[in-house]
Amino acid sequence: MSPGPQSTPDSRFIEALTRYQPVLEAFCHANLASRENAHDVLQQTNVKLWEKSADWNPETEFLPWAFAVTRFTMLSFFRDKMRDRLVFDPDVIESMAAETETAATELPERQEALGHCLKKLTPDQRGLLHAHYTEGRPLREIARTTHRTESAVKMNLLRLRHSLGDCIQLQLRKTNA
Amino acid sequence: MNPPPSTLEISLLELLVSTRESDDPRARIRLNDLLRGTPAARAAMARLLVDEQALINQLRQESIVAMLEPQPRFITSPRVPTTQYRSLGKVPKVTRGWPSLAAAAVLLLSGYLGWRALRNPSATGVLSAIQPVAVLKEDVDAVWKDPAPRGSLVPGTLMLESGMAAIEFTSGARVLLEGPAELELVSDMKAFCRSGNLLVHVPPPAIGFSIATPSSRIVDLGTVFGLSVRNDGSTLVKVMQGEVELRHPREVYRIKTDAAAMIDPCGKPTQVKTPDEVFPSETKFNERIASGALRNAARWQATAETLAKDPAALLSYNFTESHHSSRSVRNHASGATLESHGTLVGVGWTRGRWPDKRALEFNGRSDRLLFKLSGSAPAATCIAWLRVDSLPNPYNILLMPDTANKSALQWMLQKSGEMRLSLTNDLADPATANGWEPPVKAAAISNLDLGRWICLASTYDSSTGKVTHYRDGRAIGTGTFPLGLPVAFDSFSFGNWARSTVDNDVDAERFRNFVGCLDELAILSRALSPDEIEQFYQIGKP
């Protein structure tokens, strides 16, 4: 009897799925710009990938196939979600397709570069990033706790993100030189 | 024409932040239009978001590593440099006489878990990664430019429009500030004063503490000195005791006891004579505190009965009636029953928020205050003025119900400084977690709050299931009891297990006694509004 679609995925699939989890997460984040939405879509995508694991030919690249499945999952996610709860309109997401794939694939290098850049930050710059991005605190709340105005905190964050972006580019150039 | 790449990135980031943070749909529309129209914007946006994910991953990994580190990081936290200091030019490095004594003292006082509360992001709502550098010890007649600071202070600017305030840096330095003044806290060893009058007291652990002004930088060598920074940037400095170093980009001057100098806006000092009275003094501050306390006490007294007269008030203890020997406390709520007057077990009397106001002191393992309420209601509020002296147990009980009853409220402080509210259901034995609604928690206190009077409140409304926690009149966290059960009021114990609970077990988990003081406690059968809670705090603040 030939194995059906429900058969246990092959170890090469499991290895690829585990290895590319961070890239898939970054891909979802780049399309949705929201941690919660990205998390939901990634979960649903993992289930779909698992179900469809037999469709993947381990001789071919994993990521293009997984990106396609993720897009498919996002379409059903948009149908269930109010449009105003999304950061980007579906047509914008579609027009960004090539850019999000390229950027997400670069995640490992960019993260390594960022690791070097973060070492240069002062404790309170790091604190701001931690509060906003890992703890998910709104800027208004950070402003209140640190006795600053919201616009001052926002400006700090924008400057910080901008200089981190520059630093990442510089690190990447150094590595590739 | 396309904007240059850096401006484009800033615009994209700005629109992204605005889309996420505000309800205004315009930012979202502009962001999407920009992306539709510019291929460069699409590539930049994708990179920004992937970098954001990288940032989240990286910080997450670091905080896991930090949690596993055996040493508290804030003992050796690096000082935070700021541009104001850089603009004053390079100055010789000052070594501190007692490098980490003050920090060690803070650690000893706060205990290991206070430290954990500050560091563990999930265990606290204070900005855990930004460390407090000072505490606002007291203020009097203070009008702050919004938002008014309270408790522990992280690096940032304090703007005092009028009144006085005492700020104690974690290094040990104490600054008396007289408004109008603008003081930026840079680190536990540095501040920048843009304007205002100050008195600075620097004990041995904080030698090297420095204050920069627009025209100078003053490094303390273990002294008391006064500082007056005018709006034009000129600075008057007088040393009352000890010695300070006045650092100019090119020269260093020393000023000794009783000497004073006027520093012009360019940083050039001239010796002058000036009386001590020009600067704030501890005596003046204490006098204002004392008269302020009398006024506050009178204001509170005049309104203390308002809450007790609220038709929904089931309990109102304000300890204004009892004598020192009395072992019971009166419930001032208008519909008070005999059983609702409290019985003291082990609890002693102490000084309350004001000199002649009394409060209950909970010290012993068995100390508690017992009372019984009756009836049930669709909502409830527990509100108290407390002084938490330590959090010795994993759970430190504020209100413990008789758990044999369904829908009974439980109010506690965890060792981490979180306050939590829960409610028994009848799905399972209350000795197990399933017998309770999932507790709603909020970070309420950090180690710097121990020993201070604070106002804690929690409200619950069964129509929505919503629980809100408040600290000093401000909401600090919300959550939901999913079953939306009404609240049943019955026997309660404040500060310890309920009478019915066996507490002779030697297991440390079994000790749940509260250690600290209670100056006011009220329970209502409705959820007070945020405004009412703010008002309760404002009227009652010492």
Side-chain angles (χ1 to χ4, degrees):
Chain A
M1 214 166 82
S2 65
Q6 296 299 315
S7 65
T8 316
D10 145 321
S11 62
R12 281 173 295 180
F13 168 80
I14 298 172
E15 200 258 347
L17 182 66
T18 321
R19 183 158 141 228
Y20 290 115
Q21 233 5 239
V23 171
L24 289 180
E25 189 180 17
F27 181 67
C28 293
H29 192 74
N31 277 295
L32 298 158
S34 143
R35 276 171 73 187
E36 294 74 33
N37 290 351
H39 180 78
D40 290 351
V41 168
L42 181 66
Q43 294 291 315
Q44 293 171 23
T45 304
N46 282 334
V47 173
K48 285 222 170 68
L49 288 171
W50 196 269
E51 283 169 2
K52 291 172 180 288
S53 64
D55 295 356
W56 175 55
N57 172 4
E59 303 306 316
T60 63
E61 274 190 68
F62 178 81
L63 275 179
W65 175 70
F67 285 150
V69 176
T70 313
R71 285 196 187 291
F72 182 72
T73 315
M74 274 192 290
L75 284 181
S76 59
F77 181 80
F78 297 155
R79 275 198 298 274
D80 304 339
K81 201 86 181 168
M82 302 275 287
R83 176 177 268 238
D84 62 354
R85 294 286 167 87
L86 295 169
V87 174
F88 304 131
D89 288 328
D91 68 291
V92 170
I93 295 181
E94 215 178 302
S95 72
M96 278 169 60
E99 288 87 355
T100 46
E101 288 192 11
T102 313
T105 315
E106 289 170 357
L107 173 87
E109 298 92 276
R110 299 190 78 85
Q111 189 169 329
E112 199 191 328
L114 175 73
H116 293 287
C117 302
L118 284 177
K119 288 187 189 135
K120 298 173 188 166
L121 299 189
T122 63
D124 53 348
Q125 287 174 327
R126 195 178 271 271
L128 171 63
L129 293 175
H130 179 74
H132 187 62
Y133 291 111
T134 13
E135 293 185 348
R137 289 173 192 279
L139 297 183
R140 197 174 308 126
E141 194 186 314
I142 298 175
R144 190 167 52 78
T145 332
T146 54
H147 316 299
R148 283 167 205 252
T149 63
E150 193 181 337
S151 60
V153 175
K154 185 172 167 182
M155 196 38 73
N156 265 347
L157 184 78
L158 296 184
R159 284 199 193 120
L160 204 50
R161 281 294 312 269
H162 185 240
S163 60
L164 281 177
D166 283 352
C167 175
I168 291 174
Q169 291 307 118
L170 192 71
Q171 281 290 335
L172 289 176
R173 274 206 293 278
K174 270 193 215 159
T175 322
N176 299 332
Chain B
M1 202 179 79
N2 288 341
S6 60
T7 335
L8 177 67
E9 277 189 12
I10 292 270
S11 316
L12 286 169
L13 271 173
E14 219 233 308
L15 288 170
L16 180 65
V17 171
S18 308
T19 304
R20 284 170 170 167
E21 300 258 330
S22 83
D23 302 325
D24 181 0
R26 281 174 297 186
R28 186 180 174 279
I29 293 169
R30 281 178 50 211
L31 176 64
N32 280 279
D33 286 348
L34 182 59
L35 292 170
R36 271 188 201 98
T38 333
R42 294 198 286 271
M45 190 78 248
R47 271 199 312 274
L48 284 171
L49 286 165
V50 168
D51 288 350
E52 189 170 289
Q53 184 65 52
L55 190 57
I56 294 169
N57 297 348
Q58 201 65 27
L59 292 169
R60 221 190 261 151
Q61 275 173 20
E62 286 178 10
S63 63
I64 292 168
V65 172
M67 263 183 247
L68 298 174
E69 272 174 14
Q71 281 161 5
R73 201 192 298 166
F74 76 80
I75 280 199
T76 52
S77 81
R79 314 265 165 256
V80 189
T82 65
T83 46
Q84 285 89 356
Y85 283 90
R86 277 191 218 117
S87 69
L88 283 171
K90 206 171 171 177
V91 292
K93 206 176 165 187
V94 175
T95 40
R96 294 170 63 189
W98 305 56
S100 59
L101 249 184
V106 169
L107 185 79
L108 278 175
L109 282 171
S110 60
Y112 168 79
L113 276 131
W115 154 72
R116 223 180 64 175
L118 273 170
R119 296 188 65 236
N120 181 353
S122 62
T124 170
V126 290
L127 272 180
S128 43
I130 302 178
Q131 291 148 6
V133 294
V135 192
L136 175 66
K137 185 70 179 72
E138 267 170 313
D139 59 10
V140 59
D141 306 327
V143 178
W144 294 95
K145 195 159 178 198
D146 201 53
R150 287 175 194 170
S152 12
L153 305 171
V154 293
T157 303
L158 299 174
M159 292 171 95
L160 181 65
E161 290 180 344
S162 60
M164 289 177 88
I167 295 139
E168 293 184 350
F169 286 78
T170 52
S171 58
R174 176 177 161 99
V175 171
L176 270 188
L177 194 62
E178 190 169 29
E182 193 178 333
L183 183 73
E184 180 175 341
L185 312 181
V186 181
S187 73
D188 64 340
M189 288 293 284
K190 274 182 189 170
F192 179 80
C193 181
R194 270 183 204 89
S195 61
N197 288 340
L198 284 74
L199 181 80
V200 185
H201 175 74
V202 180
I207 288 175
F209 179 84
S210 70
I211 292 199
T213 73
S215 59
S216 60
R217 183 177 170 208
I218 292 129
V219 176
D220 196 289
L221 305 173
T223 59
V224 179
F225 68 92
L227 200 62
S228 176
V229 184
R230 316 280 159 85
N231 287 333
D232 64 356
S234 61
T235 302
L236 178 66
V237 56
K238 175 165 188 184
V239 178
M240 282 88 177
Q241 190 191 319
E243 195 175 6
V244 301
E245 246 175 36
L246 185 61
R247 297 195 180 178
H248 188 264
R250 285 178 301 281
E251 282 150 301
V252 174
Y253 304 89
R254 289 205 161 191
I255 306 177
K256 303 203 169 172
T257 309
D258 282 335
M262 184 76 197
I263 306 148
D264 72 15
C266 305
K268 192 178 160 2
T270 319
Q271 203 157 3
V272 290
K273 281 207 179 316
T274 188
D276 289 359
E277 288 68 38
V278 172
F279 307 98
S281 77
E282 293 284 351
T283 322
K284 198 155 77 180
F285 185 61
N286 288 336
E287 280 168 11
R288 282 181 78 169
I289 292 268
S291 66
L294 284 177
R295 265 200 323 275
N296 291 350
R299 179 196 60 201
W300 174 81
Q301 195 96 41
T303 46
E305 296 297 317
T306 320
L307 192 69
K309 290 197 187 91
D310 189 304
L314 301 172
L315 185 94
S316 168
Y317 290 153
N318 57 33
F319 316 121
T320 50
E321 76 296 347
S322 321
H323 301 288
H324 275 273
S325 57
S326 106
R327 302 308 296 157
S328 67
V329 291
R330 193 177 145 213
N331 176 9
H332 292 257
S334 30
T337 59
L338 194 60
E339 292 168 308
S340 67
H341 300 304
T343 299
L344 303 180
V345 180
V347 183
W349 288 103
T350 185
R351 199 199 106 144
R353 274 169 286 174
W354 300 289
D356 45 4
K357 165 87 180 71
R358 294 188 316 131
L360 295 179
E361 186 171 32
F362 296 75
N363 266 329
R365 285 282 194 201
S366 300
D367 289 6
R368 67 198 66 196
L369 160 63
L370 301 171
F371 57 89
K372 189 174 179 184
L373 303 175
S374 57
S376 72
T381 299
C382 308
I383 188 161
W385 270 102
L386 296 168
R387 199 186 78 198
V388 181
D389 290 338
S390 76
L391 292 169
N393 309 308
Y395 299 104
N396 304 275
I397 290 172
L398 296 178
L399 281 172
M400 185 72 190
D402 180 344
T403 53
N405 299 317
K406 187 190 164 189
S407 290
L409 277 176
Q410 183 201 46
W411 201 30
M412 300 198 289
L413 289 171
Q414 292 188 188
K415 197 158 195 160
S416 59
E418 284 169 297
M419 62 198 274
R420 58 182 259 162
L421 190 75
S422 191
L423 191 68
T424 55
N425 58 37
D426 61 354
L427 299 181
D429 182 351
T432 67
N434 290 340
W436 295 86
E437 288 286 77
V440 174
K441 303 182 202 175
I445 50 180
S446 78
N447 53 355
L448 294 172
D449 295 316
L450 299 179
R452 295 179 56 237
W453 287 109
I454 53 170
C455 176
L456 296 183
S458 298
T459 62
Y460 165 62
D461 185 346
S462 66
S463 65
T464 54
K466 191 176 176 189
V467 172
T468 308
H469 291 301
Y470 297 85
R471 145 84 200 258
D472 288 349
R474 288 178 185 167
I476 52 167
T478 59
T480 312
F481 291 160
L483 296 179
L485 297 168
V487 183
F489 299 98
D490 203 284
S491 300
F492 280 102
S493 159
F494 182 94
N496 219 316
W497 288 104
R499 199 169 33 162
S500 58
T501 327
V502 180
D503 61 349
N504 53 6
D505 201 315
V506 287
D507 179 359
E509 270 272 306
R510 303 291 294 174
F511 289 115
R512 296 195 173 184
N513 59 303
F514 165 72
V515 177
C517 301
L518 174 69
D519 186 301
E520 194 172 359
L521 174 68
I523 300 176
L524 291 96
S525 60
R526 68 182 178 91
L528 288 180
S529 70
D531 286 349
E532 287 173 306
I533 287 176
E534 168 75 20
Q535 199 189 358
F536 182 88
Y537 165 74
Q538 290 298 345
I539 288 171
K541 68 178 179 186

